[in-house]
Amino acid sequence: MDKARVLIVEDEDIYRKIICNTLREHGIEVQATDSGEEAWELIKQQRFPVIISDIRLSGNISGMDLLRDAKELYDPSILMITAFGEIEMAVEAMRLGAFSYITKPFEVEDILANLDRMMLQQRSISDHLLPSNVEELSQRTGIIGNSKKMCDLVNIALKAARSDATILITGESGTGKELIAKAIYMNSSRKNKEFVAINCATLTDEFLESALFGHVKGSYTGAMKDKIGLFEKADGGTLFMDEVGDTSKSIQAKILRVLQEGEFIPLGSTDTKKANVRIIAATNKDLLQSVEKNEFREDLYYRLNVINIAMPPLRERKSDIPLLINHFIKKNNVKLNKKVIRIAPEIEEILMNYDWPGNVRELENVIERTMVLCSGNKLAKKHLPGCVLPQKGDIPPITIAPGTSWKEAEKELIMKTLQLTRGNKQEAAKMLGISLRKIEYRVKEWGIACASKANGD
Ligand SMILES: Nc1ncnc2c1ncn2[C@@H]1O[C@H](COP(=O)(O)OP(=O)(O)OP(=O)(O)O)[C@@H](O)[C@H]1O
Ligand SMILES: [Mg+2]
């Protein structure tokens, strides 16, 4: 561990002494005070890379005040100490940029583990200040885009990466939720530990519970031996919970427990296990609406949504399209062994005018498909899928033979309507008299709206 100066602000003598002694035993230079006022003077006089502060202090300046002001002055990593039952305050502290929090009574190991990661964070802050240009941004994150919306969002993500706060990423299918989750992980102090991802929508309750928390032999039919779960596997690291809005209430209660207490019980076991896991959750559902419908626990919603990253749909940041096209051309040149240099202005215009219901994933698929179909290294309009093209005249009528499955008929109807509205899902939903959500759900289920349809279909 680095020799560094840590400021400790704690008005309960016993806790202040425990922390001071532990840190000094580990060769860390420490300064300690029992007052918020004195702490603020010290913070203004010298630069503390790490601060450990009680949330409640007896004087006029509270730990929360120190957190807010110190973060503004320079960017120290701050660990907050809370009393039992102060969960709301702890969540608020995370929102204000605290690195993490621990609850009294705590173990000295908790302090040391956090301290290690705070030091790492400080090192990475001095190594990489927030990127100032688009190229640097994409190098650091793998995220392509120069629209203001994307740049702001990636900067928020990079700031969020510096804390251990839980993050909820929302956005339509294909907008890059998983990509940004990985970028956060790669830029966090946990980057050398595990990144484990799970899609909560694809498993039954029993399998999901077992996957997350593990199980003991015989806990259900087919559980032949003990198995550790992802929370244990990701201990010290990051767990990406995709489609968290699709979990049942019973699983939600268990996730809440890990978030609140850092504890869980494997399926069929009576032993409680501990895990220190940073959670990044994602969903394309409107979770607040699910809370209103009583399908999602409100307390869990607030616990997950400490930092919210809302991925904008591609149609709201069309200026990113040219950069993305270039990026996918380069990627596919390697994959397909081609040498396409750039796209004709006519094609770019067509792609700029389309609404992209399947977002970046759809654009990626359209570019790949077009590059597969093109002869040589020139992309032609005729290789673009029909639905991205401007519609001349009527869309060919739908012919559904009697006996066609309902699913097939529904697919045909929705696809053709999307073709008519050039990918505008809202308009298509209105025309069909169905909910926008249903169209979004189907678009996701089929991968994307139109890449499987050939030109002229
Ligand atoms: N800004 C971007 N720059 C480069 N590639 C991107 C960008 N956004 C998305 N992609 C690519 O698009 C594809 C879809 O992204 P991703 O899987 O992260 O989306 P998602 O929001 O998680 O979708 P879903 O809700 O369907 O799971 C991936 O191949 C990803 O690499
Ligand atoms: Mg995803």
Side-chain angles (χ1 to χ4, degrees):
M1 209 178 285
D2 280 1
K3 197 170 169 73
R5 192 180 290 245
V6 176
L7 176 65
I8 297 159
V9 195
E10 168 60 83
D11 55 358
E12 280 185 73
D13 291 351
I14 173 91
Y15 284 114
R16 194 178 58 253
K17 280 181 189 149
I18 292 176
I19 304 172
C20 279
N21 292 343
T22 310
L23 265 53
R24 284 187 180 129
E25 275 164 23
H26 283 79
I28 298 163
E29 216 181 301
V30 171
Q31 199 147 358
T33 169
D34 61 356
S35 113
E37 282 75 4
E38 191 185 346
W40 181 230
E41 288 310 312
L42 288 167
I43 290 170
K44 282 190 291 186
Q45 283 161 19
Q46 51 187 296
R47 206 173 194 289
F48 292 96
V50 172
I51 299 173
I52 302 175
S53 173
D54 196 352
I55 280 199
R56 280 183 199 283
L57 296 166
S58 42
N60 286 329
I61 296 185
S62 73
M64 290 294 244
D65 297 328
L66 288 178
L67 166 66
R68 203 176 294 115
D69 295 343
K71 275 286 182 194
E72 217 151 85
L73 205 59
Y74 42 88
D75 202 2
S77 300
I78 307 181
L79 178 69
M80 304 304 287
I81 305 172
T82 67
F84 186 73
E86 286 185 337
I87 229 62
E88 316 271 282
M89 280 238 264
V91 171
E92 180 55 21
M94 295 299 283
R95 213 187 286 275
L96 288 173
F99 179 81
S100 191
Y101 64 88
I102 49 170
T103 308
K104 285 180 202 169
F106 50 78
E107 311 270 336
V108 288
E109 283 74 27
D110 290 341
I111 298 258
L112 290 171
N114 274 293
L115 200 68
D116 250 342
R117 288 188 285 112
M118 287 194 284
M119 301 281 193
L120 267 175
Q121 178 186 60
Q122 284 298 315
R123 219 173 299 153
S124 88
I125 290 175
S126 55
D127 284 355
H128 320 271
L129 290 166
L130 283 182
S132 53
N133 61 48
V134 177
E135 258 153 66
E136 202 189 332
L137 208 68
S138 59
Q139 254 174 22
R140 286 262 304 276
T141 61
I143 296 167
I144 309 292
N146 59 357
S147 59
K148 176 153 188 341
K149 274 192 180 173
M150 264 333 252
C151 293
D152 289 352
L153 187 141
V154 174
N155 272 319
I156 292 175
L158 288 176
K159 274 192 192 159
R162 294 173 176 182
S163 85
D164 251 1
T166 307
I167 297 175
L168 181 65
I169 306 172
T170 50
E172 290 179 14
S173 182
T175 45
K177 296 187 292 296
E178 182 153 357
L179 192 65
I180 204 142
K182 284 190 181 140
I184 292 170
Y185 157 72
M186 286 304 295
N187 285 279
S188 77
S189 60
R190 292 173 180 249
K191 69 175 174 220
N192 296 322
K193 295 281 173 67
E194 293 271 349
F195 176 88
V196 183
I198 182 162
N199 185 332
C200 302
T202 54
L203 297 171
T204 61
D205 251 25
E206 202 170 54
F207 281 113
L208 181 59
E209 182 172 348
S210 149
L212 288 173
F213 309 111
H215 64 238
V216 295
K217 181 178 163 187
S219 54
Y220 62 90
T221 335
M224 312 293 269
K225 50 182 184 189
D226 290 4
K227 185 181 143 233
I228 68 158
L230 297 183
F231 271 98
E232 202 167 339
K233 190 165 175 229
D235 197 17
T238 306
L239 176 61
F240 176 56
M241 298 180 73
D242 207 357
E243 311 293 4
V244 76
D246 291 300
T247 48
S248 70
K249 284 282 190 73
S250 117
I251 298 282
Q252 289 167 28
K254 290 176 175 130
I255 299 172
L256 184 69
R257 178 161 181 207
V258 198
L259 278 172
Q260 269 174 349
E261 280 138 52
E263 289 179 356
F264 63 93
I265 303 175
L267 194 61
S269 167
T270 46
D271 294 336
T272 303
K273 291 195 169 182
K274 279 201 170 273
N276 165 6
V277 174
R278 199 255 176 100
I279 295 192
I280 305 180
T283 181
N284 55 18
K285 278 197 169 165
D286 179 345
L287 272 196
L288 261 186
Q289 215 174 62
S290 306
V291 168
E292 268 161 32
K293 285 198 218 145
N294 202 21
E295 289 163 4
F296 202 84
R297 289 182 69 118
E298 189 175 12
D299 44 8
L300 180 58
Y301 170 74
Y302 287 109
R303 262 330 193 85
L304 291 175
N305 200 30
V306 174
I307 294 175
N308 176 244
I309 295 187
M311 302 300 293
L314 188 54
R315 65 182 169 280
E316 287 177 15
R317 45 177 165 116
K318 286 197 167 175
S319 60
D320 287 343
I321 292 178
L323 272 186
L324 283 164
I325 294 175
N326 268 340
H327 171 71
F328 293 133
I329 287 180
K330 276 192 202 149
K331 199 167 151 185
N332 284 298
N333 271 339
V334 177
K335 189 168 157 191
L336 306 170
N337 198 18
K338 297 225 172 202
K339 288 198 185 75
V340 175
I341 298 174
R342 56 178 205 93
I343 207 154
E346 182 200 24
I347 297 185
E348 187 174 301
E349 195 187 325
I350 292 172
L351 299 182
M352 287 292 276
N353 283 328
Y354 180 59
D355 240 41
W356 301 107
N359 294 296
V360 185
R361 182 183 291 115
E362 185 179 13
L363 175 62
E364 183 171 11
N365 289 354
V366 165
I367 298 292
E368 178 172 359
R369 173 205 141 102
T370 311
M371 285 177 70
V372 167
L373 293 180
C374 78
S375 47
N377 293 315
K378 201 164 171 0
L379 301 186
K381 188 175 159 189
K382 66 175 184 208
H383 296 131
L384 290 173
C387 67
V388 306
L389 295 173
Q391 296 310 319
K392 284 193 218 96
D394 294 334
I395 306 272
I398 297 169
T399 46
I400 299 169
T404 305
S405 75
W406 175 248
K407 266 194 150 164
E408 274 303 307
E410 187 194 28
K411 186 170 178 181
E412 183 74 6
L413 188 58
I414 293 182
M415 295 260 244
K416 284 265 165 68
T417 311
L418 276 170
Q419 207 168 326
L420 186 69
T421 62
R422 303 212 65 238
N424 186 323
K425 285 182 280 188
Q426 193 111 36
E427 218 176 299
K430 221 167 154 187
M431 287 171 111
L432 292 167
I434 58 175
S435 68
L436 176 62
R437 189 88 219 108
K438 184 156 188 162
I439 292 207
E440 277 170 349
Y441 188 77
R442 293 288 180 248
V443 164
K444 183 171 167 67
E445 191 185 338
W446 301 325
I448 52 165
C450 73
S452 59
K453 297 292 244 174
N455 188 15
D457 275 3

